[in-house]
Amino acid sequence: MTTRPLRYFAIAVFSASLGLAATIPRTADGKPNLSGVWQGGGVSLYGDAADGTQRTYAAPVNPPPKREPIPYQAWAEAKSKTFTSADDPTLRCLLAGVPRITSMPMPFEIIQTPKEVVIAYESFHAFRIIPINDKLQHPNDLVPTWMGDSVARWDGDALVVDVTGFNDKTWLSGTGSIHSEGLHVVERFQLNSDDTITYSATVTDPKVLTKAWTTGALLRRPPNTRVEEYECIENNQDVQHMEVKK
């Protein structure tokens, strides 16, 4: 007698999952279509209460992971506390790095093809050309860079991006969130039925962290927005007066 309700429940859940999968846009090869302009925060997405343009959205069907404190080793925790916001590399118009750039308050565009995914960011002229490679093989001649080297594969309906080859000059998120050149990031982009992307990034760095750290963001399509030119230096000519003397 008790198995019948469970059976009906399982059928209902399975049917709902089929419906969810059917409602997301797909490319000709059947993959979720991530192409378009996305954003994780900022005025162009949420509007501005000061001028009456503030927008609200329904609760997401697939929320991003809850953000937790970065699990630093003791020495790295102490070092991170020596920085202030005036030390932020982006204050000098330097690339934000991965995963931080995904949550910057400016839009970015995803261009998806069967062989590669390209992400063009409005912030800092950044771009990523990400080949689809089921074995997640990186070139063997990597030079440490601000954005690292990215390769991707599909895990069901999630795009998994493996990123390595970083320098140690970016921050992971907030003030003083340092890392080493041993940083390794695994990103997941999951397209949802409510026209959002659940973004998560699992960060490992044995030289700095005590364990893996996961962060994330909910990406939405900002209305009437396209990726435009953003020249950071033009709006950042007084940086010397922002610096805090130590």
Side-chain angles (χ1 to χ4, degrees):
M1 295 294 292
T2 59
T3 59
R4 184 173 297 173
L6 291 175
R7 185 183 308 150
Y8 290 156
F9 176 75
I11 292 172
V13 170
F14 179 70
S15 299
S17 67
L18 287 179
L20 179 65
T23 57
I24 63 174
R26 295 182 179 274
T27 59
D29 60 358
K31 302 300 184 185
N33 191 351
L34 304 176
S35 292
V37 177
W38 300 93
Q39 194 166 334
V43 173
S44 58
L45 184 60
Y46 291 104
D48 189 346
D51 60 14
T53 62
Q54 190 171 24
R55 306 181 192 91
T56 57
Y57 296 90
V61 298
N62 184 18
K66 182 181 178 181
R67 295 188 182 185
E68 301 288 348
I70 300 175
Y72 279 122
Q73 297 176 25
W75 72 268
E77 178 76 22
K79 183 176 180 179
S80 71
K81 293 178 179 178
T82 66
F83 295 97
T84 72
S85 58
D87 299 307
D88 191 336
T90 64
L91 185 65
R92 294 162 178 78
C93 301
L94 299 171
L95 290 170
V98 178
R100 188 183 183 191
I101 197 166
T102 304
S103 58
M104 298 295 288
M106 285 175 274
F108 58 89
E109 184 167 359
I110 297 177
I111 303 97
Q112 176 183 334
T113 74
K115 294 185 177 181
E116 66 183 16
V117 173
V118 176
I119 307 180
Y121 300 89
E122 184 169 299
S123 55
F124 309 108
H125 304 288
F127 66 91
R128 298 164 70 188
I129 300 174
I130 308 172
I132 304 295
N133 181 328
D134 287 342
K135 295 183 179 180
L136 296 179
Q137 293 176 324
H138 294 270
N140 57 15
D141 58 349
L142 293 181
V143 175
T145 59
W146 295 81
M147 297 292 289
D149 181 78
S150 299
V151 293
R153 67 177 177 85
W154 288 98
D155 179 14
D157 278 350
L159 180 71
V160 178
V161 184
D162 190 90
V163 198
T164 188
F166 292 99
N167 64 31
D168 61 357
K169 300 176 182 179
T170 64
W171 286 356
L172 295 174
S173 58
T175 300
S177 50
I178 60 173
H179 62 83
S180 77
E181 289 188 355
L183 176 65
H184 179 206
V185 181
V186 178
E187 303 171 288
R188 293 181 69 90
F189 294 80
Q190 180 81 51
L191 184 62
N192 303 312
S193 60
D194 59 353
D195 201 26
T196 63
I197 290 177
T198 302
Y199 171 80
S200 67
T202 300
V203 175
T204 55
D205 189 343
K207 297 179 181 179
V208 176
L209 306 181
T210 60
K211 61 180 181 179
W213 174 67
T214 300
T215 186
L218 187 73
L219 307 178
R220 300 183 187 273
R221 298 183 190 270
N224 305 314
T225 301
R226 65 183 187 276
V227 174
E228 300 184 62
E229 181 180 277
Y230 168 71
E231 185 48 72
C232 176
I233 291 293
E234 185 178 30
N235 301 300
N236 201 34
Q237 297 177 0
D238 203 28
V239 68
Q240 65 269 24
H241 294 104
M242 303 180 202
E243 294 179 348
V244 177
K245 294 183 179 180
K246 298 179 181 180

